[in-house]
Structure formats: C-alpha cells, structure tokens
Amino acid sequence: MLNSVSIDNQGTQPWQHQPDSGLVGGDLLPEDAKNGNKNAAAKWPNAQVPYVISSSFSAKDRQVIASAMAMYHQKTCIRFVARGTQKDYVKIVRGNGCWAVKGRAGGGQELILGDGCVSRATVVHELMHALGFSHEHQRPDQKKFIVRVNMIDSL
Ligand SMILES: [Zn+2]
C-alpha cells in the first residue's frame, strides 16, 4: 500500500526551514562533538523506534511520514513501531522549522516537522538524526579526510 503513495517532495532541505536558533547544522539540538551517537544508552533497543504522530498532521502528511519509515523498513533492519507502553519514543509534532534530537534521549523526544518539512526526503533526514546520526559534512574528524591538491603541478 505504501509503495503506491505518490510522494510530494517539495525539493527543499531541512536547513532551509529553520528558525534562527542555536541548532547545530540547522536542525540538531546541540549535544556533543561526535558524528554518530556512540553512547549505548542513546541507541534504540533491538533497532526498534517507537513513535507517535501528532493528530495535527493531515492524512497526506501521515502518508509521507509513513513512506519515509517504509524506506527504512525496506533498506535497513530499523523498525519504526507505533508506541505502546514504551517509555522512550519519538514524538513527531508540528513546530517551527524541522529538527530532531540526536539518538534516543529518554522519554518522549520531539521530532519537529514545521511548514515545508513534510517531504519524504526531509522526514528520512530527521529520522536519521533521531537514530543517532549527525551530518556527514560536519564530522569532527572531517579535516583528516580533506585532500590537498597542488594546482600548479596539475597545470
Ligand atoms: Zn540534519
């Protein structure tokens, strides 16, 4: 069923919808200097991420969010599951901008999808943060991998 959903990708990126804030890289709550969250407590047990979705989202928005989760289900072992009694979960809510908390934070942690943020690409992006990943281009060790090219030698 989800595979037949037409995705309205608005062609925008999460950082294009941000309020002026102290968010890291435009859409992460400040936390630590690691690219991925290596803290075992921040990982989701059994690769299962309980979630709830605010009733303020339209049926179409919910389809887009579901299609983003379906991508994870198709390509990874990660499973987003509707919250039952789990203590830790992701609360997908409307708000200002689009951003997320990196990794499992404990309790109900918000994942914000504001105006212009409900596209499959953006939801996949923010869910990746909730799983514990930062932006690859902001890795603390990025300078180790920059290759210096001497342009004079190449002319
Ligand atoms: Zn991001």
Side-chain angles (χ1 to χ4, degrees):
M1 185 67 178
L2 288 176
N3 291 336
S4 65
V5 173
S6 173
I7 304 304
D8 178 23
N9 188 333
Q10 299 165 16
T12 55
Q13 300 297 327
W15 51 87
Q16 294 175 305
H17 303 283
Q18 301 313 320
D20 184 18
S21 70
L23 296 171
V24 175
D27 69 335
L28 275 171
L29 279 185
E31 184 200 337
D32 59 40
K34 302 278 193 252
N35 185 46
N37 200 330
K38 294 183 178 178
N39 180 355
K43 294 180 179 173
W44 294 93
N46 303 315
Q48 293 203 346
V49 183
Y51 70 90
V52 296
I53 301 176
S54 166
S55 60
S56 65
F57 288 104
S58 68
K60 183 180 175 192
D61 287 345
R62 290 169 173 274
Q63 285 183 328
V64 172
I65 294 166
S67 73
M69 292 177 177
M71 283 189 70
Y72 282 96
H73 296 175
Q74 290 165 0
K75 300 182 183 296
T76 76
C77 63
I78 295 161
R79 296 292 176 263
F80 292 93
V81 296
R83 180 183 180 227
T85 58
Q86 296 93 334
K87 181 174 73 69
D88 301 331
Y89 60 101
V90 174
K91 295 192 315 190
I92 302 174
V93 298
R94 288 200 171 279
N96 194 10
C98 26
W99 54 273
V101 177
K102 187 169 75 173
R104 182 169 64 112
Q109 64 187 73
E110 292 187 333
L111 186 155
I112 307 293
L113 297 175
D115 291 343
C117 298
V118 185
S119 70
R120 183 166 62 171
T122 299
V123 176
V124 166
H125 181 108
E126 298 305 334
L127 288 173
M128 186 70 89
H129 289 322
L131 292 170
F133 290 91
S134 295
H135 301 125
E136 195 64 14
H137 65 281
Q138 295 173 319
R139 291 171 58 118
D141 59 350
Q142 63 171 305
K143 289 189 170 59
K144 291 181 185 174
F145 300 99
I146 293 175
V147 177
R148 297 184 72 183
V149 176
N150 187 337
M151 295 302 287
I152 294 173
D153 289 346
S154 65
L155 295 176

